[in-house]
Amino acid sequence: MPKILLAALGVLLVAACSPGATPVPVPSPAPEVAAACAELVKALPTKVLDQKQRKTTPESPLTTAYGDPAIEVTCGVTPPAGMAEAQSQCFEVNGVGWFAKQVQNGYIFTTIGRELYLEMAVPSKYAPEANALTDVSDAVHSHNKLVTPCT
């Protein structure tokens, strides 16, 4: 078999095994929030829980994802229902406050007490799901101003 054909076959096999872009809904925050969120998302690590970063669809500077099944990250979301009463449910991971909501297949975590609302949907495959938050805490500290600490 010619070498070019073998190389092409190898590229096809790798492409078939790697996950494509994952669908992540894009929020519509105010322009100043969108600009700040774009900087925060750009500052996120290339891996979360040892899962490589992957593209999202539609492409947006406000979203990213990691692994398969995807850990979805969205910045500029509206606060989730129940968050207003949840200050007492705020828990900290590496100095960043989070609101946790259990869903059918994992947890959705939303920053609490910060200027920007960053949301991470972590599938139960990655249990304990909150471990994903340690990987993003440095970027949140640097690019998302603290307004109210967890109490």
Side-chain angles (χ1 to χ4, degrees):
M1 196 177 278
K3 287 183 182 179
I4 291 181
L5 185 56
L6 283 174
L9 182 60
V11 168
L12 286 174
L13 286 174
V14 169
C17 294
S18 59
T22 190
V24 177
V26 178
S28 300
E32 62 276 5
V33 171
C37 278
E39 290 301 312
L40 173 53
V41 171
K42 191 179 354 176
L44 292 173
T46 57
K47 286 186 176 182
V48 167
L49 297 177
D50 291 326
Q51 301 298 306
K52 291 181 182 176
Q53 197 168 26
R54 56 189 279 197
K55 294 183 184 271
T56 57
T57 183
E59 285 187 38
S60 170
L62 306 180
T63 63
T64 193
Y66 300 87
D68 187 21
I71 298 168
E72 300 173 6
V73 182
T74 308
C75 188
V77 298
T78 57
M83 188 177 204
E85 302 85 41
Q87 188 66 27
S88 63
Q89 295 175 7
C90 179
F91 71 97
E92 280 192 28
V93 176
N94 292 347
V96 177
W98 296 91
F99 172 72
K101 179 181 177 189
Q102 189 169 16
V103 292
Q104 185 175 3
N105 188 29
Y107 279 86
I108 297 175
F109 300 101
T110 308
T111 53
I112 191 169
R114 301 259 167 189
E115 274 188 348
L116 308 171
Y117 291 104
L118 178 82
E119 180 179 277
M120 287 187 70
V122 185
S124 56
K125 172 191 174 188
Y126 303 105
E129 295 88 334
N131 285 351
L133 306 177
T134 61
D135 291 335
V136 300
S137 64
D138 287 346
V140 173
H141 270 294
S142 299
H143 297 276
N144 195 353
K145 183 180 174 190
L146 178 66
V147 176
T148 308
C150 278
T151 54

